[in-house]
Structures are given as structure tokens and as C-alpha cells.
Amino acid sequence: MPDFTDTFVREQLLDRHRRLEAAVTWSQSEPRLMELLHEVDSALARMDQDTWGICEVCHEPVEADRLMADPLVRYCLDHLSAAQRDALERDLETAAALQRGLLPQPEAKHSGWEVAHTYRPFGPVSGDYCDVVVEETPERSLFFFVGDVSGKGVTASMLTAQLHAIFRSLVMQQLPVPQLLGQASRIFCESALSPYYATLVGGRAEAGGSLEIVNAGHCPPLLIRGGKLTRLEPSGTPLGMFCDGPYRAERFDLEPGDVLFVYTDGVSEARNPDDEEYGEERVIESLRGCARLTARGVVDGCVESLGRFLGNASLADDLTIMAIQRTARA
């Protein structure tokens, strides 16, 4: 049996068993409830026999993300029936459409700031998180978030949707950025999928030109200010890793043309046909001379550089790039 979340899954199954048993007692005429209760009991029995998570046809491990999304699955993808494959494909298409619907506009301008991003999932769904939110207050600050959830596939995509809901809700509370990430981390840690975590960069761009930013264990963002480039190292642990982890913000005053560049490791860890890694130095090199570019131009310049490096190789991970540029004084 896979050992990555055995205690967590058992607790979830036992809770499901209790709820179904109560529902069956209340409505004995519903055969589907009895069927679900039997499936839960069967999964618990497989855990006791150390066969949970093993395909009943080929006896190889079932895909981890599918087990986390549905601990009742009994077959790996290779041994699903045609009807099961069709149902899974429809579910993935729906999940992908929902995830695309949560993305911010590719470009936005607000209060002297311009934001642009590129978002490319590796598969049908992605574990990268990307959002831009305007605060509904007289200050009308611009919040931005770029993150990467641990794990792959459906489970990771579910957690990106959770992050979207958490931050959209917390932004309305007008918290300082460190407290905002602290609250989000606590909620994420205490959630039903708490064995997972997310690295994340979050910040607030104010109309006066101030930029407040927290790096929660993410790839160092790159700040291009006055022609000089600064790496912004992590100032806190990934979200959800600890329920009470403190976060520290860095604050900068930006002038027109200054840019903050944020990306996920799908960029820096991409590999070409010679198995050579793109790396942070190439990310930095792609930003040379970007002072005269728009936020969209900065993002596209990195994408083009990465494309030349990859040649005919494909990406092996989700990719997200965001540029936040100061365009005018208030």
C-alpha cells in the first residue's frame, strides 16, 4: 500500500463510513447509499490487507493523485473500462475548464501598474496557482499571487482552486501581506488535504508606487529597479507546511519602468534535448534590457528565450510567469 497518506486516508474513509451508515439508517430505500457504504468498507478492508492503492488487474500501484482525489478507486488508468475512461475524460475536461475560468485576465492595468502573465499547464489540469485581485477599498491596491502546489494532477488542481477561494476571501479583510499569507497558510494547513503544501509569492502594489511582497518558499522573484536586478529570497515557509509559520514582507518603492518578475519552477527546471536545465541564470539573462518593455513584453521575452532553449523538447511541468510593472506615478 502507498505510504504517503495512509493515516489521513483511513480517517477520511472512517468519517465517510459513519456518514453513510447514518444516511442508510435514515433512508433504507436508497440502494446507492448501500452500494457506497460497501465500497467504503471494501477500501478499509484493502487497507487492513495492505492492498489498498494496488490495481486489482496488474497489481501495480494506482496513480497517487487519483487515489487522493478518490480513495475508492481499484484500477490503474491502464485497466479502466471504456465507460470509466470516458467518464474520467469528461471529468478532466470539466476540471480544466473550471480551472481556466479561475485565471485572471492575461493583462491588466490598474492605478499606475500593469500586470501580465502566461500560464501553461503540463496536462489537462495544473498545480500552479495564479491570481490578480483589486482590493475593494478607497486605496484600491492590486494584489498578486503566484504559487506551486506540491503533487500533480487532479489533487493539485483541486488545491489551486482552494487557494483561489482562500485568497479571494482574505483580501477583503484588508490585512497586511504577512498576515494575509499567515491566515491563508493556517486555513490551508487545517484543510481536509493538509498533507500537501504550496510555495507562493504574494504581494500588494499600491497606487503610490509601493510594493509589499512575501516569498513563502518559492523560486526567488526578480526585482528590476533602476537598472539593477535583485533576487528576493524566501522569507517564510511554504503555505500549509506549518499552521503557525510567521511571514516577513519586503517593501520597495518602484519608479515607472521598474518590474517585478515572478515564475514557477516549470521555467527554471525545464530541460532541453541534451538534458540540460534552463536554470535561473538563463531566466535572468532573458530579462536583460527589459527596461524599455511592457509587462507583456517582459513575459513574452522569457517565453521566447525558453522556447529557443527547449528546441523540440516539451515542457515536463506546469509553467507560470508573471510580470508586475510600475507604469506611471500617481
Side-chain angles (χ1 to χ4, degrees):
M1 177 182 71
D3 60 3
F4 60 104
T5 49
D6 52 345
T7 302
F8 166 73
V9 172
R10 182 181 291 276
E11 290 174 354
Q12 296 294 306
L13 287 171
L14 288 171
D15 180 65
R16 192 179 299 190
H17 174 91
R18 287 190 292 270
R19 293 173 182 270
L20 283 169
E21 198 169 45
V24 167
T25 301
W26 177 75
S27 178
Q28 296 182 3
S29 61
E30 179 51 64
R32 179 55 183 157
L33 291 177
M34 290 296 299
E35 182 181 341
L36 285 172
L37 182 59
H38 174 73
E39 290 180 20
V40 171
D41 286 340
S42 178
L44 286 167
R46 292 196 299 277
M47 294 191 84
D48 291 337
Q49 298 161 9
D50 206 29
T51 59
W52 177 80
I54 303 299
C55 176
E56 295 185 6
V57 176
C58 66
H59 306 296
E60 294 293 328
V62 175
E63 296 77 14
D65 62 320
R66 292 182 60 229
L67 280 173
M68 286 305 300
D70 181 4
L72 303 182
V73 295
R74 298 162 59 188
Y75 305 100
C76 67
L77 287 173
D78 290 338
H79 294 98
L80 294 178
S81 68
Q84 289 171 325
R85 281 180 178 275
D86 289 344
L88 180 60
E89 288 176 4
R90 289 194 299 272
D91 286 346
L92 283 173
E93 289 170 1
T94 301
L98 290 171
Q99 194 169 44
R100 289 193 299 271
L102 295 177
L103 290 173
Q105 293 297 315
E107 299 174 24
K109 294 183 179 181
H110 179 77
S111 299
W113 297 92
E114 179 179 327
V115 183
H117 81 272
T118 288
Y119 182 92
R120 295 184 182 178
F122 170 62
V125 291
S126 169
D128 278 5
Y129 164 60
C130 173
D131 203 6
V132 176
V133 188
V134 175
E135 186 180 35
E136 296 297 332
T137 65
E139 291 77 17
R140 301 278 290 172
S141 297
L142 185 76
F143 286 82
F144 55 89
F145 306 98
V146 173
D148 186 0
V149 174
S150 62
K152 303 289 183 183
V154 175
T155 303
S157 73
M158 291 168 59
L159 291 171
T160 64
Q162 185 183 21
L163 285 175
H164 183 276
I166 289 171
F167 279 109
R168 286 269 168 165
S169 174
L170 290 176
V171 161
M172 300 303 116
Q173 297 184 22
Q174 303 176 40
L175 300 171
V177 176
Q179 286 182 241
L180 179 68
L181 264 70
Q183 291 269 34
S185 183
R186 185 174 300 108
I187 295 169
F188 201 63
C189 183
E190 294 171 352
S191 71
L193 291 170
S194 57
Y196 290 87
Y197 63 88
T199 65
L200 182 132
V201 169
R204 180 199 334 243
E206 299 176 359
S210 265
L211 188 74
E212 186 182 18
I213 183 170
V214 173
N215 181 355
H218 197 73
C219 307
L222 302 168
L223 180 64
I224 306 153
R225 187 173 55 148
K228 296 181 179 179
L229 188 145
T230 305
R231 297 171 79 251
L232 304 182
E233 300 290 349
S235 54
T237 58
L239 270 66
M241 186 166 284
F242 303 103
C243 290
D244 57 353
Y247 294 95
R248 176 178 54 82
E250 294 189 74
R251 196 173 186 90
F252 305 92
D253 292 320
L254 270 59
E255 295 293 328
D258 293 347
V259 177
L260 177 70
F261 185 84
V262 189
Y263 61 97
T264 59
D265 60 12
V267 179
S268 54
E269 295 180 4
R271 292 184 174 274
N272 66 13
D274 297 325
D275 200 34
E276 184 181 6
E277 188 175 81
Y278 186 65
E280 185 186 45
E281 287 304 315
R282 288 187 175 87
V283 175
I284 292 172
E285 186 60 34
S286 75
L287 301 179
R288 302 292 184 196
C290 74
R292 293 181 296 276
L293 298 178
T294 63
R296 171 51 57 191
V298 172
V299 170
D300 290 348
C302 183
V303 171
E304 290 168 8
S305 170
L306 178 61
R308 290 191 297 270
F309 172 81
L310 288 174
N312 59 6
S314 300
L315 289 172
D317 198 359
D318 306 315
L319 175 152
T320 301
I321 300 172
M322 181 183 287
I324 301 99
Q325 184 179 51
R326 181 68 175 157
T327 56
R329 292 185 177 88

